[in-house]
Amino acid sequence: MGRIDIMPGQIELRLDPSALQELLGNDPEHLDTTPLDRSFPFQLRKRGIETKIILNDAQSGKDNTLIRNIEKAHTWFQRIKAGVTVSEIATSEGTSKRHVQHLVGLALHAPDIVRDVLDGTQPIGFTSEWCLRHDLPSDWSAQRQRLATL
Protein backbone atom coordinates (compact mmCIF):
# COMPACT_ATOMS: atom_id res chain seq x y z
CA MET A 1 0.00 0.00 0.00
CA GLY A 2 2.85 2.37 0.72
CA ARG A 3 5.56 3.25 3.14
CA ILE A 4 6.15 5.55 6.10
CA ASP A 5 9.70 6.53 7.02
CA ILE A 6 10.40 8.33 10.29
CA MET A 7 13.65 10.25 10.49
CA PRO A 8 14.80 12.82 13.03
CA GLY A 9 12.36 15.71 12.65
CA GLN A 10 10.75 14.35 9.49
CA ILE A 11 8.02 11.85 8.53
CA GLU A 12 7.96 10.71 4.91
CA LEU A 13 4.72 9.20 3.59
CA ARG A 14 4.68 7.36 0.27
CA LEU A 15 1.47 5.82 -1.07
CA ASP A 16 1.49 3.20 -3.81
CA PRO A 17 -0.58 4.62 -6.72
CA SER A 18 -1.66 1.23 -8.08
CA ALA A 19 -2.80 -0.01 -4.65
CA LEU A 20 -4.68 3.23 -4.07
CA GLN A 21 -6.36 3.00 -7.48
CA GLU A 22 -7.42 -0.56 -6.74
CA LEU A 23 -8.76 0.40 -3.32
CA LEU A 24 -10.71 3.38 -4.69
CA GLY A 25 -11.76 1.66 -7.91
CA ASN A 26 -10.52 4.59 -9.99
CA ASP A 27 -9.29 4.61 -13.53
CA PRO A 28 -5.45 4.82 -13.44
CA GLU A 29 -5.51 7.72 -15.90
CA HIS A 30 -7.55 9.88 -13.50
CA LEU A 31 -5.23 9.61 -10.49
CA ASP A 32 -2.97 12.56 -9.75
CA THR A 33 0.10 10.98 -8.18
CA THR A 34 1.61 14.31 -7.08
CA PRO A 35 0.16 14.28 -3.52
CA LEU A 36 1.06 10.63 -2.93
CA ASP A 37 4.56 11.44 -1.64
CA ARG A 38 4.39 13.81 1.32
CA SER A 39 6.86 15.02 3.89
CA PHE A 40 5.87 16.34 7.33
CA PRO A 41 8.28 18.09 9.70
CA PHE A 42 7.65 17.30 13.37
CA GLN A 43 9.02 17.73 16.87
CA LEU A 44 9.03 15.36 19.80
CA ARG A 45 7.58 16.70 23.04
CA LYS A 46 8.35 14.84 26.23
CA ARG A 47 6.20 15.26 29.33
CA GLY A 48 7.15 12.90 32.09
CA ILE A 49 7.12 9.42 30.60
CA GLU A 50 4.91 10.43 27.67
CA THR A 51 6.34 11.41 24.28
CA LYS A 52 4.17 13.06 21.61
CA ILE A 53 4.86 13.67 17.95
CA ILE A 54 3.82 17.24 17.18
CA LEU A 55 3.43 18.22 13.55
CA ASN A 56 4.91 21.67 13.03
CA ASP A 57 1.66 23.18 11.77
CA ALA A 58 -0.48 21.68 14.54
CA GLN A 59 -2.23 23.99 16.97
CA SER A 60 -2.36 23.25 20.65
CA GLY A 61 -6.00 24.10 21.28
CA LYS A 62 -7.45 25.87 24.30
CA ASP A 63 -5.74 25.13 27.58
CA ASN A 64 -8.47 25.90 30.12
CA THR A 65 -6.09 25.40 33.05
CA LEU A 66 -3.68 27.97 31.63
CA ILE A 67 -6.57 30.38 30.97
CA ARG A 68 -7.83 30.00 34.57
CA ASN A 69 -4.31 30.53 35.91
CA ILE A 70 -3.82 33.69 33.84
CA GLU A 71 -7.14 35.00 35.16
CA LYS A 72 -6.12 34.13 38.73
CA ALA A 73 -2.73 35.80 38.23
CA HIS A 74 -4.38 39.04 37.08
CA THR A 75 -6.70 39.00 40.10
CA TRP A 76 -3.81 38.38 42.47
CA PHE A 77 -1.68 41.04 40.78
CA GLN A 78 -4.47 43.61 41.27
CA ARG A 79 -4.72 42.62 44.94
CA ILE A 80 -0.94 43.03 45.38
CA LYS A 81 -1.15 46.48 43.74
CA ALA A 82 -3.93 47.31 46.21
CA GLY A 83 -1.61 46.48 49.13
CA VAL A 84 -2.53 42.87 49.95
CA THR A 85 0.56 40.79 50.72
CA VAL A 86 1.50 37.55 48.99
CA SER A 87 1.13 35.79 52.36
CA GLU A 88 -2.41 37.11 52.76
CA ILE A 89 -3.35 35.99 49.24
CA ALA A 90 -1.83 32.55 49.84
CA THR A 91 -3.75 32.17 53.10
CA SER A 92 -7.06 33.31 51.60
CA GLU A 93 -6.60 31.02 48.56
CA GLY A 94 -5.41 28.04 50.58
CA THR A 95 -2.14 27.76 48.72
CA SER A 96 1.55 28.49 49.30
CA LYS A 97 3.30 31.84 48.96
CA ARG A 98 5.64 30.23 46.45
CA HIS A 99 2.69 29.20 44.27
CA VAL A 100 1.25 32.73 44.35
CA GLN A 101 4.64 34.24 43.53
CA HIS A 102 5.16 31.88 40.63
CA LEU A 103 1.66 32.23 39.20
CA VAL A 104 1.43 36.01 39.49
CA GLY A 105 4.07 36.26 36.76
CA LEU A 106 1.40 35.16 34.28
CA ALA A 107 -0.17 38.60 34.73
CA LEU A 108 2.91 40.15 33.12
CA HIS A 109 2.74 38.33 29.78
CA ALA A 110 2.54 40.31 26.57
CA PRO A 111 -1.06 40.97 25.48
CA ASP A 112 -0.61 39.03 22.22
CA ILE A 113 0.63 35.99 24.17
CA VAL A 114 -2.47 36.12 26.38
CA ARG A 115 -4.65 36.54 23.27
CA ASP A 116 -3.04 33.46 21.71
CA VAL A 117 -3.77 31.47 24.88
CA LEU A 118 -7.40 32.60 24.85
CA ASP A 119 -7.66 31.70 21.15
CA GLY A 120 -5.95 28.34 21.69
CA THR A 121 -3.11 29.17 19.28
CA GLN A 122 -0.26 29.32 21.81
CA PRO A 123 2.78 27.09 21.25
CA ILE A 124 2.07 23.47 22.13
CA GLY A 125 4.63 23.42 24.91
CA PHE A 126 3.27 26.57 26.59
CA THR A 127 1.18 25.06 29.38
CA SER A 128 0.46 25.83 33.03
CA GLU A 129 2.87 23.08 33.98
CA TRP A 130 5.60 24.67 31.86
CA CYS A 131 4.87 28.07 33.43
CA LEU A 132 5.29 26.66 36.93
CA ARG A 133 8.75 25.29 36.04
CA HIS A 134 10.02 28.22 33.96
CA ASP A 135 10.00 31.98 34.30
CA LEU A 136 9.45 34.19 31.29
CA PRO A 137 11.43 37.42 31.10
CA SER A 138 9.54 40.64 31.82
CA ASP A 139 10.44 42.07 28.39
CA TRP A 140 7.66 41.24 25.93
CA SER A 141 10.02 40.75 22.97
CA ALA A 142 12.13 38.35 25.01
CA GLN A 143 8.93 36.49 26.03
CA ARG A 144 7.99 36.03 22.37
CA GLN A 145 11.48 34.78 21.55
CA ARG A 146 11.40 32.29 24.42
CA LEU A 147 7.97 30.95 23.45
CA ALA A 148 9.09 30.57 19.83
CA THR A 149 11.46 27.83 21.04
CA LEU A 150 8.64 25.68 22.47
Side-chain angles (χ1 to χ4, degrees):
M1 182 61 143
R3 174 184 175 112
I4 298 174
D5 293 317
I6 300 177
M7 299 164 275
Q10 195 80 9
I11 296 176
E12 300 283 337
L13 173 66
R14 292 183 187 87
L15 299 176
D16 179 16
S18 58
L20 190 58
Q21 289 169 343
E22 185 178 319
L23 182 67
L24 297 174
N26 285 350
D27 181 0
E29 294 178 15
H30 294 110
L31 182 65
D32 179 10
T33 59
T34 308
L36 297 181
D37 289 338
R38 298 289 310 266
S39 179
F40 303 95
F42 74 92
Q43 296 177 355
L44 292 177
R45 293 281 188 233
K46 294 186 179 204
R47 291 190 183 152
I49 60 169
E50 178 182 287
T51 301
K52 290 184 178 182
I53 293 178
I54 307 297
L55 297 178
N56 283 351
D57 59 351
Q59 292 186 350
S60 57
K62 285 197 177 188
D63 182 339
N64 290 325
T65 302
L66 183 55
I67 292 169
R68 278 192 308 275
N69 285 339
I70 289 172
E71 179 183 13
K72 193 180 295 187
H74 279 274
T75 301
W76 291 351
F77 186 66
Q78 292 304 317
R79 290 177 67 190
I80 290 168
K81 285 182 9 181
V84 179
T85 67
V86 171
S87 292
E88 291 169 335
I89 293 171
T91 300
S92 70
E93 296 287 333
T95 190
S96 69
K97 288 189 329 184
R98 187 178 194 296
H99 182 71
V100 172
Q101 290 167 331
H102 222 78
L103 214 60
V104 80
L106 292 175
L108 305 176
H109 288 351
D112 56 309
I113 292 172
V114 174
R115 182 200 61 233
D116 289 348
V117 170
L118 294 173
D119 292 344
T121 59
Q122 75 278 5
I124 297 228
F126 186 55
T127 64
S128 283
E129 184 179 316
W130 185 89
C131 290
L132 290 174
R133 289 182 294 179
H134 303 87
D135 289 323
L136 278 180
S138 57
D139 177 69
W140 289 353
S141 294
Q143 289 177 7
R144 292 179 192 102
Q145 290 174 350
R146 177 77 165 108
L147 292 183
T149 65
L150 297 179

